[in-house]
Amino acid sequence: GAGVSQSPSNKVTEKGKDVELRCDPISGHTALYWYRQSLGQGLEFLIYFQGNSAPDKSGLPSDRFSAERTGGSVSTLTIQRTQQEDSAVYLCASSLDRALGHEQYFGPGTRLTVT
Amino acid sequence: AQKVTQAQTEISVVEKEDVTLDCVYETRDTTYYLFWYKQPPSGELVFLIRRNSFDEQNEISGRYSWNFQKSTSSFNFTITASQVVDSAVYFCALSAAGGFKTIFGAGTRLFVKA
């Protein structure tokens, strides 16, 4: 069956430009997570969605970062006025239901390079 | 505050050796979940196991086994008779029932040499 998909797989952008990263979770999964993984580092939590709402946005590093989820499915992470420190792999994950501590299924990630 | 510590940054073993990856966690919640994930060189994280805080039974799955000890706040992962395909970064993670975040450790990179 289809897993979590993310697009684009790679994105190179100039400093100051805006970028949009897309995540398509597994069908039927109500919980969706965004993480950032810098080179050789662990996963940094960014934001979590339950359905279309985001009860926890505490991980977003600055107000240049925003995310939305529509129809309880696809999510978009937007980074405005990108900076070089935004360069990282952005991972999306989905799970069946957050409340029951379900495991997360991860997408392949979007590698963002800001030049 | 919740925290996951994987003190071993990198481990290198020769094929067929046993290896244990350490994970120590901190949480004030009494209900929580612990996870291990594997990130092979291809990059995609794969779920390996979940334990909840009320189940301290150790688990074995093939060459993999997990030792959960609440007394030491540890959830260690052992690979028996390691194989080259086990080479990956392994992440331990904690999710508390009252919150939404899953906190990941920094990961342990395992190299298994033929």
Side-chain angles (χ1 to χ4, degrees):
Chain A
V4 177
S5 60
Q6 292 186 246
S7 61
S9 54
N10 278 285
K11 177 71 177 178
V12 180
T13 190
E14 290 180 358
K15 179 181 171 181
K17 295 282 178 70
D18 298 352
V19 295
E20 279 191 358
L21 313 180
R22 176 188 167 108
C23 172
D24 207 335
I26 292 172
S27 178
H29 280 194
T30 60
L32 185 148
Y33 304 78
W34 283 99
Y35 296 91
R36 179 167 70 175
Q37 185 176 28
S38 301
L39 186 63
Q41 301 298 310
L43 277 69
E44 175 189 3
F45 169 83
L46 298 179
I47 190 169
Y48 153 78
F49 287 92
Q50 181 66 38
N52 288 341
S53 65
D56 190 348
K57 302 180 182 180
S58 63
L60 295 177
S62 75
D63 58 9
R64 296 186 295 105
F65 287 72
S66 63
E68 64 176 15
R69 188 180 185 194
T70 54
S73 182
V74 172
S75 176
T76 302
L77 176 69
T78 301
I79 309 173
Q80 296 178 309
R81 305 181 302 283
T82 52
Q83 303 294 312
Q84 287 186 329
E85 61 262 28
D86 299 334
S87 296
V89 176
Y90 289 82
L91 295 170
C92 175
S94 69
S95 68
L96 191 58
D97 186 330
R98 165 63 183 86
L100 298 178
H102 282 275
E103 65 270 23
Q104 296 174 34
Y105 294 83
F106 283 81
T110 293
R111 182 176 298 278
L112 174 66
T113 304
V114 182
T115 61
Chain B
Q2 297 175 10
K3 187 177 178 182
V4 175
T5 302
Q6 293 181 257
Q8 304 151 308
T9 306
E10 287 188 1
I11 301 175
S12 184
V13 299
V14 176
E15 210 171 18
K16 296 184 184 171
E17 281 187 26
D18 298 348
V19 58
T20 296
L21 311 181
D22 297 333
C23 173
V24 174
Y25 63 92
E26 293 176 30
T27 181
R28 291 192 181 132
D29 289 285
T30 55
T31 301
Y32 53 88
Y33 298 87
L34 295 163
F35 303 83
W36 275 95
Y37 288 85
K38 175 182 179 180
Q39 187 174 36
S42 64
E44 204 157 326
L45 275 95
V46 175
F47 164 77
L48 295 178
I49 191 172
R50 173 187 62 237
R51 299 307 273 174
N52 71 55
S53 52
F54 299 108
D55 183 1
E56 280 194 78
Q57 274 193 332
N58 292 330
E59 179 148 343
I60 298 174
S61 175
R63 295 184 298 106
Y64 295 172
S65 62
W66 291 269
N67 184 345
F68 176 28
Q69 291 194 336
K70 287 176 77 170
S71 61
T72 55
S73 297
S74 65
F75 186 42
N76 296 337
F77 173 29
T78 298
I79 302 174
T80 302
S82 58
Q83 300 176 2
V84 172
V85 294
D86 296 327
S87 296
V89 180
Y90 291 87
F91 291 97
C92 180
L94 165 69
S95 177
F100 302 105
K101 291 183 185 180
T102 298
I103 306 298
F104 282 78
T108 297
R109 184 177 297 275
L110 175 65
F111 295 98
V112 181
K113 295 182 276 192

